[in-house]
Amino acid sequence: MRDQPAKDARRLIRPTTEAARKSSSIAPSAAKASDSAALLDDIVQWLDDAKAEDIVSIPLEGKSALGDFMVVASGRNDRHVGAIAEQLREKIKARGEARVRVEGLNACDWVLIDTGDVIVHVFRPEVREFYNLEKMWQAEIPPDAGRGDSSQH
């Protein structure tokens, strides 16, 4: 009879532990979204401080698993694009973001800064106009795009 309360106690502890594990797995995703939004706000502010022009942020939720947000901005010329990218990289690293990858600093026509959660593109104006990333990424994805509707063929 003495073992019975111990078994009951173990049965009670398991669901509590499972519930805690489930709630802890939910909490990091909400915290990650909050961190991504805070990083986005910082990046937009830093771009503005660096005199970047035409700053556009695009939410990627439901469009891509590349990240949570994309930011597109312009510099006046290649030197300005390079300076914006360097300042942004330093400020992101100083903020404590460990994964910061930068591509395109050699030519400074189009510099990509990837933090994992927020992807930043800094262009010269004519290069930005040519690639027109905003148009591609702001387009709505039709709900049946993945099904391959054969009635249209």
Side-chain angles (χ1 to χ4, degrees), residues 39 43 47 69-71 73 81-90 92-93 99-105 110-123:
L39 177 59
I43 286 172
L47 286 168
F69 299 98
M70 180 181 295
V71 179
V81 169
I84 291 168
E86 286 288 347
Q87 288 177 35
L88 198 54
R89 177 174 62 178
E90 293 305 314
I92 291 170
K93 283 185 176 182
R99 292 183 3 203
V100 180
R101 293 185 40 220
V102 179
E103 301 287 335
L105 268 176
W110 174 3
V111 180
L112 179 133
I113 301 140
D114 185 357
T115 69
D117 294 332
V118 180
I119 302 163
V120 183
H121 299 273
V122 184
F123 290 99

Coordinates of all heavy atoms in Angstrom, one line a residue, residues 39 43 47 69-71 73 81-90 92-93 99-105 110-123:
L39 N 14.9 43.5 -33.8 CA 16.0 43.7 -34.7 C 15.6 44.5 -35.9 O 16.4 45.3 -36.4 CB 16.6 42.3 -35.1 CG 17.8 42.3 -36.1 CD1 18.9 43.1 -35.5 CD2 18.1 40.9 -36.4
I43 N 17.4 47.9 -37.2 CA 18.0 48.0 -38.5 C 17.4 49.2 -39.3 O 18.2 49.9 -39.9 CB 17.8 46.7 -39.3 CG1 18.8 45.6 -38.7 CG2 18.1 46.8 -40.8 CD1 18.6 44.2 -39.2
L47 N 19.6 52.3 -40.6 CA 19.6 52.7 -42.0 C 19.2 54.1 -42.2 O 19.9 54.9 -43.0 CB 18.6 51.8 -42.9 CG 19.1 50.4 -43.1 CD1 17.9 49.5 -43.7 CD2 20.3 50.3 -44.1
F69 N 11.9 38.8 -42.0 CA 11.7 40.1 -42.7 C 12.8 40.3 -43.7 O 13.9 39.9 -43.5 CB 11.7 41.3 -41.7 CG 10.7 41.2 -40.6 CD1 11.0 40.7 -39.4 CD2 9.4 41.7 -40.9 CE1 10.0 40.7 -38.4 CE2 8.4 41.6 -39.9 CZ 8.7 41.1 -38.6
M70 N 12.5 41.1 -44.7 CA 13.5 41.6 -45.7 C 13.4 43.1 -45.7 O 12.3 43.7 -45.6 CB 13.1 41.1 -47.1 CG 14.1 41.5 -48.1 SD 13.7 40.9 -49.8 CE 13.9 39.1 -49.5
V71 N 14.5 43.8 -45.7 CA 14.6 45.2 -45.8 C 15.4 45.6 -47.1 O 16.4 45.0 -47.4 CB 15.3 45.8 -44.6 CG1 15.4 47.3 -44.7 CG2 14.6 45.4 -43.3
A73 N 16.9 48.9 -49.2 CA 17.2 50.3 -49.1 C 18.2 50.7 -50.2 O 18.8 49.8 -50.8 CB 17.8 50.7 -47.7
V81 N 26.7 53.1 -50.5 CA 26.2 51.8 -50.3 C 27.2 51.0 -49.4 O 26.8 50.3 -48.4 CB 26.0 51.0 -51.6 CG1 25.8 49.5 -51.4 CG2 24.9 51.6 -52.4
G82 N 28.5 51.1 -49.6 CA 29.5 50.4 -48.8 C 29.5 50.9 -47.4 O 29.7 50.2 -46.5
A83 N 29.4 52.2 -47.2 CA 29.5 52.8 -45.9 C 28.2 52.4 -45.1 O 28.3 52.1 -43.9 CB 29.5 54.4 -46.0
I84 N 27.1 52.4 -45.7 CA 25.8 51.9 -45.1 C 26.0 50.5 -44.6 O 25.7 50.2 -43.4 CB 24.6 52.1 -46.0 CG1 24.3 53.5 -46.2 CG2 23.4 51.3 -45.4 CD1 23.2 53.7 -47.4
A85 N 26.5 49.6 -45.5 CA 26.6 48.2 -45.2 C 27.6 48.0 -44.1 O 27.4 47.2 -43.1 CB 27.1 47.5 -46.4
E86 N 28.8 48.7 -44.1 CA 29.8 48.6 -43.0 C 29.2 49.0 -41.7 O 29.4 48.3 -40.6 CB 31.0 49.4 -43.4 CG 31.9 48.7 -44.4 CD 32.6 47.5 -44.0 OE1 32.7 47.2 -42.7 OE2 33.1 46.8 -44.8
Q87 N 28.5 50.2 -41.7 CA 27.9 50.7 -40.4 C 26.9 49.7 -39.9 O 26.9 49.4 -38.7 CB 27.3 52.0 -40.6 CG 28.2 53.2 -40.8 CD 27.5 54.5 -41.1 OE1 26.4 54.7 -40.5 NE2 28.0 55.3 -41.9
L88 N 26.1 49.2 -40.8 CA 25.0 48.2 -40.4 C 25.6 46.9 -39.8 O 25.2 46.4 -38.7 CB 24.1 47.9 -41.6 CG 22.8 47.3 -41.3 CD1 22.0 48.2 -40.3 CD2 22.0 47.2 -42.5
R89 N 26.6 46.4 -40.5 CA 27.3 45.2 -40.0 C 27.9 45.4 -38.6 O 27.7 44.6 -37.7 CB 28.4 44.8 -40.9 CG 29.1 43.5 -40.4 CD 30.1 43.0 -41.3 NE 31.2 43.9 -41.7 CZ 32.2 43.7 -42.4 NH1 32.3 42.5 -43.0 NH2 33.1 44.6 -42.7
E90 N 28.5 46.5 -38.4 CA 29.1 46.8 -37.0 C 28.1 46.9 -36.0 O 28.2 46.4 -34.8 CB 30.0 48.0 -37.1 CG 31.3 47.9 -38.0 CD 32.1 46.7 -37.6 OE1 32.4 46.5 -36.4 OE2 32.5 45.9 -38.5
I92 N 25.0 45.7 -36.0 CA 24.3 44.4 -35.7 C 25.2 43.5 -34.9 O 24.8 42.9 -33.9 CB 24.0 43.7 -37.1 CG1 22.9 44.5 -37.8 CG2 23.6 42.3 -36.8 CD1 22.7 44.1 -39.2
K93 N 26.5 43.5 -35.1 CA 27.5 42.7 -34.3 C 27.5 43.3 -32.9 O 27.5 42.5 -31.9 CB 28.9 42.7 -34.9 CG 29.0 41.8 -36.1 CD 30.4 41.7 -36.6 CE 30.5 40.7 -37.7 NZ 31.9 40.6 -38.2
R99 N 25.5 35.7 -36.0 CA 25.5 35.3 -37.4 C 25.2 36.5 -38.3 O 24.1 36.8 -38.6 CB 24.5 34.2 -37.6 CG 24.7 32.9 -37.0 CD 23.6 31.9 -37.4 NE 22.7 32.4 -38.4 CZ 21.5 31.9 -38.5 NH1 21.0 30.9 -37.8 NH2 20.6 32.4 -39.4
V100 N 26.2 37.2 -38.7 CA 26.0 38.3 -39.7 C 26.9 37.9 -40.9 O 28.1 37.9 -40.8 CB 26.4 39.6 -39.1 CG1 26.2 40.7 -40.1 CG2 25.7 39.9 -37.8
R101 N 26.2 37.7 -42.0 CA 27.0 37.4 -43.3 C 26.8 38.6 -44.2 O 25.6 39.1 -44.3 CB 26.5 36.2 -43.9 CG 26.8 34.9 -43.1 CD 26.4 33.6 -43.7 NE 26.7 33.6 -45.2 CZ 25.9 33.1 -46.1 NH1 24.8 32.5 -45.7 NH2 26.2 33.1 -47.3
V102 N 27.8 39.0 -44.8 CA 27.8 40.2 -45.8 C 28.3 39.7 -47.1 O 29.4 39.1 -47.2 CB 28.6 41.4 -45.2 CG1 28.5 42.5 -46.2 CG2 28.0 41.8 -43.9
E103 N 27.6 40.0 -48.2 CA 28.0 39.7 -49.5 C 27.9 41.0 -50.4 O 27.0 41.7 -50.2 CB 27.1 38.6 -50.1 CG 27.0 37.3 -49.4 CD 28.3 36.5 -49.6 OE1 29.0 36.7 -50.6 OE2 28.5 35.7 -48.7
G104 N 28.9 41.1 -51.3 CA 28.8 42.2 -52.3 C 29.6 43.5 -51.9 O 29.4 44.5 -52.6
L105 N 30.4 43.4 -50.8 CA 31.1 44.7 -50.4 C 32.2 45.0 -51.4 O 32.6 46.2 -51.4 CB 31.7 44.5 -49.0 CG 30.8 45.0 -47.9 CD1 31.5 44.7 -46.5 CD2 30.5 46.4 -48.0
W110 N 25.3 46.1 -54.9 CA 24.2 45.5 -54.2 C 24.9 44.7 -53.1 O 25.6 43.8 -53.3 CB 23.5 44.5 -55.1 CG 22.4 43.7 -54.5 CD1 22.0 43.6 -53.2 CD2 21.6 42.7 -55.2 NE1 21.0 42.7 -53.0 CE2 20.8 42.1 -54.2 CE3 21.6 42.2 -56.5 CZ2 19.9 41.1 -54.6 CZ3 20.7 41.2 -56.8 CH2 19.8 40.7 -55.9
V111 N 24.6 45.2 -51.8 CA 25.2 44.5 -50.7 C 24.1 43.8 -49.9 O 23.1 44.4 -49.6 CB 26.0 45.5 -49.8 CG1 26.6 44.7 -48.6 CG2 27.1 46.2 -50.5
L112 N 24.3 42.5 -49.6 CA 23.3 41.8 -48.8 C 23.9 41.5 -47.4 O 25.0 41.1 -47.3 CB 23.1 40.4 -49.5 CG 22.1 39.5 -48.8 CD1 21.1 39.0 -49.8 CD2 22.8 38.4 -48.1
I113 N 23.1 41.8 -46.4 CA 23.5 41.6 -45.0 C 22.4 40.6 -44.5 O 21.3 41.0 -44.4 CB 23.5 42.9 -44.2 CG1 24.5 43.9 -44.9 CG2 23.9 42.6 -42.8 CD1 24.1 45.3 -44.9
D114 N 22.9 39.4 -44.1 CA 22.0 38.4 -43.6 C 22.2 38.1 -42.2 O 23.3 37.7 -41.8 CB 22.2 37.1 -44.5 CG 21.2 36.0 -44.1 OD1 20.4 36.2 -43.2 OD2 21.3 35.0 -44.8
T115 N 21.2 38.4 -41.3 CA 21.3 38.1 -39.9 C 20.6 36.8 -39.5 O 20.7 36.4 -38.4 CB 20.7 39.2 -39.1 OG1 19.2 39.1 -39.2 CG2 21.2 40.6 -39.4
G116 N 20.0 36.1 -40.5 CA 19.3 34.9 -40.2 C 17.8 35.2 -40.1 O 17.0 34.6 -40.8
D117 N 17.4 36.2 -39.3 CA 16.0 36.6 -39.2 C 15.6 37.7 -40.1 O 14.5 37.8 -40.5 CB 15.7 37.0 -37.7 CG 15.9 35.8 -36.7 OD1 15.7 34.7 -37.2 OD2 16.2 36.0 -35.6
V118 N 16.5 38.6 -40.3 CA 16.3 39.8 -41.1 C 17.4 39.8 -42.2 O 18.6 39.8 -41.9 CB 16.3 41.1 -40.3 CG1 16.1 42.3 -41.2 CG2 15.3 41.1 -39.2
I119 N 16.9 40.0 -43.5 CA 17.8 40.0 -44.6 C 17.7 41.5 -45.1 O 16.6 42.0 -45.4 CB 17.4 39.0 -45.7 CG1 17.4 37.6 -45.1 CG2 18.3 39.2 -46.9 CD1 16.6 36.6 -46.0
V120 N 18.9 42.1 -45.3 CA 18.9 43.5 -45.7 C 19.6 43.6 -47.1 O 20.7 43.0 -47.2 CB 19.7 44.4 -44.7 CG1 19.6 45.8 -45.1 CG2 19.1 44.2 -43.3
H121 N 19.0 44.3 -48.0 CA 19.6 44.5 -49.3 C 19.8 46.0 -49.4 O 18.9 46.8 -49.3 CB 18.7 44.1 -50.4 CG 18.3 42.7 -50.4 ND1 19.1 41.7 -51.1 CD2 17.3 42.0 -49.9 CE1 18.6 40.5 -50.9 NE2 17.5 40.7 -50.2
V122 N 21.1 46.4 -49.7 CA 21.4 47.9 -49.9 C 21.9 48.0 -51.3 O 22.9 47.3 -51.7 CB 22.4 48.4 -48.9 CG1 22.7 49.9 -49.1 CG2 22.0 48.1 -47.5
F123 N 21.2 48.8 -52.1 CA 21.5 48.9 -53.6 C 21.9 50.3 -53.9 O 21.5 51.3 -53.3 CB 20.2 48.7 -54.4 CG 19.6 47.3 -54.4 CD1 18.6 46.9 -53.6 CD2 20.1 46.4 -55.3 CE1 18.1 45.7 -53.6 CE2 19.6 45.1 -55.4 CZ 18.6 44.7 -54.5

